[in-house]
């Protein structure tokens, strides 16, 4: 994290012309922006991208952060430059960023603990965490899982839809496919795009008189008019309970 902040500060100081601008972005907001940029770097690093791709994709994601916060890249650079030239205020800003990172890491550790405690009835066999647009600007997170035990299946996940998300008619869809190729389906709507994390849950009771073949659907389902998404999706589970 220190390396990331130092790099941002050096870049800002290098790109600024002579003079000392006033800080255009309030301290709390600036700390949140730097934290979101740190998250972007961390996510892209986990994806195993090379240095050039990491740099290019980071810049693209930074632009998304700036748009979300209603600022320009120039305003951010000028604000960081001001802090670089005011050490005390810079330390205060840095402390707020560190607190945000620490809280985020604690939350992530709790997520991993939940994953470790998954029971045998969880049939989900894909990645449990997704970040859009990093994992695809219009990715619905499609799944197709082979199952043969009837019962009641519940798909749950912790989802954050941001205000700038452009999903059209967002929903979560679960479909049971039987060996005779008939299906049962259920979708849950009611997404709120306010940047707050909520648990989404969709339940489907399979037909006990038919042989179940697959469960499929979309965690972040949408209509064809969707052009770009901004969503965090964590802790996906698909559990079966007996009827």
């Amino acid at each position: 994290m220190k390396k990331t902040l130092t790099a941002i500060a050096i870049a800002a100081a290098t790109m600024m012309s002579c003079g000392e601008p006033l800080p255009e972005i309030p301290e709390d907001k600036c700390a949140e922006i730097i934290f979101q940029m740190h998250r972007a770097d961390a996510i892209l690093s986990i994806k195993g991208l090379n240095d050039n791709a990491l740099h290019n994709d980071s810049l693209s994601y930074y632009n998304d952060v700036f748009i979300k916060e209603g600022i320009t890249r120039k305003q951010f650079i000028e604000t960081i430059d001001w802090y670089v030239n005011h050490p005390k205020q810079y330390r205060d800003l840095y402390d707020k960023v560190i607190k945000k990172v620490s809280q985020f890491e604690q939350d992530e550790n709790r997520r991993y603990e939940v994953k470790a405690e998954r029971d045998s009835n969880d049939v989900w066999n894909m990645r449990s965490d997704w970040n859009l647009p990093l994992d695809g600007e219009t990715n619905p997170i499609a799944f197709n899982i082979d199952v043969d035990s009837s019962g009641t299946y519940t798909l749950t996940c912790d989802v954050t839809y941001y205000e700038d998300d452009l999903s059209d008619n967002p929903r979560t869809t679960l479909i049971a496919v039987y060996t005779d190729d008939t299906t049962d389906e259920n979708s849950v709507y009611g997404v709120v795009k306010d940047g707050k994390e909520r648990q989404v849950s969709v339940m489907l009771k399979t037909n006990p008189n038919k042989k179940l073949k697959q469960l499929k659907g979309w965690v972040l389902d949408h209509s064809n008019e969707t052009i770009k998404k901004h969503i965090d999706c964590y802790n996906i589970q698909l559990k079966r309970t007996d009827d």
Side-chain angles (χ1 to χ4, degrees):
M1 183 62 193
K2 291 182 179 179
K3 183 178 180 181
T4 301
L5 291 179
T6 302
I8 293 173
I10 292 173
T14 301
M15 295 177 67
M16 282 300 300
S17 59
C18 295
E20 183 181 279
L22 295 175
E24 296 191 49
I25 305 171
E27 185 177 276
D28 287 344
K29 186 172 185 177
C30 189
E32 177 63 22
I33 292 168
I34 295 173
F35 166 65
Q36 293 299 334
M37 295 170 75
H38 165 78
R39 282 193 63 197
D41 285 337
I43 292 168
L44 289 166
S45 296
I46 290 172
K47 289 166 70 69
L49 300 176
N50 61 39
D51 290 342
N52 289 333
L54 178 62
H55 176 73
N56 293 334
D57 283 359
S58 291
L59 290 178
S60 176
Y61 193 82
Y62 291 169
N63 287 332
D64 288 337
V65 173
F66 296 149
I67 291 171
K68 174 190 171 186
E69 297 296 336
I71 67 166
T72 65
R73 180 181 293 272
K74 181 175 181 291
Q75 287 175 315
F76 177 74
I77 292 173
E78 289 176 349
T79 298
I80 293 297
D81 184 72
W82 185 91
Y83 278 107
V84 168
N85 288 285
H86 294 78
K88 180 182 182 303
Q89 289 86 346
Y90 186 83
R91 286 193 296 270
D92 292 341
L93 172 67
Y94 190 93
D95 287 342
K96 288 189 176 183
V97 176
I98 294 300
K99 288 179 181 179
K100 287 178 177 289
V101 173
S102 297
Q103 184 61 53
F104 177 74
E105 290 176 347
Q106 290 176 18
D107 292 342
E108 287 298 288
N109 287 335
R110 284 196 289 270
R111 293 185 194 280
Y112 288 124
E113 289 171 2
V114 169
K115 290 179 187 177
E117 295 172 357
R118 288 181 178 226
D119 60 48
S120 59
N121 288 326
D122 186 2
V123 300
W124 184 259
N125 59 5
M126 296 172 53
R127 284 172 49 191
S128 298
D129 298 342
W130 300 76
N131 305 94
L132 280 58
L134 290 179
D135 289 316
E137 292 190 343
T138 59
N139 187 357
I141 309 183
F143 61 92
N144 193 329
I145 301 171
D146 292 335
V147 292
D148 57 12
S149 299
S150 63
T152 299
Y153 286 87
T154 305
L155 175 66
T156 61
C157 53
D158 299 323
V159 181
T160 302
Y161 278 83
Y162 293 94
E163 293 181 1
D164 60 341
D165 175 74
L166 298 178
S167 301
D168 182 70
N169 194 25
R171 56 198 183 272
T172 299
T173 301
L174 180 59
I175 303 170
V177 182
Y178 302 100
T179 55
D180 62 1
D181 289 331
T182 60
T183 61
D184 286 322
E185 178 177 338
N186 190 24
S187 295
V188 169
Y189 299 78
V191 166
V192 181
K193 300 180 181 181
D194 59 2
K196 296 181 180 179
E197 183 179 291
R198 292 177 171 84
Q199 185 179 81
V200 174
S201 178
V202 56
M203 182 182 296
L204 182 64
K205 183 176 181 179
T206 64
N207 189 334
N209 298 318
K210 294 185 177 183
K211 180 66 174 177
L212 186 62
K213 180 172 66 174
Q214 294 172 330
L215 291 172
K216 67 178 184 178
W218 301 271
V219 179
L220 303 178
D221 200 0
H222 61 259
S223 299
N224 292 335
E225 289 75 13
T226 295
I227 58 174
K228 187 174 182 179
K229 294 185 168 187
H230 187 184
I231 308 168
D232 290 336
C233 181
Y234 296 103
N235 194 30
I236 303 172
Q237 300 182 57
L238 181 55
K239 292 186 176 183
R240 183 187 67 84
T241 55
D242 293 328
D243 294 333

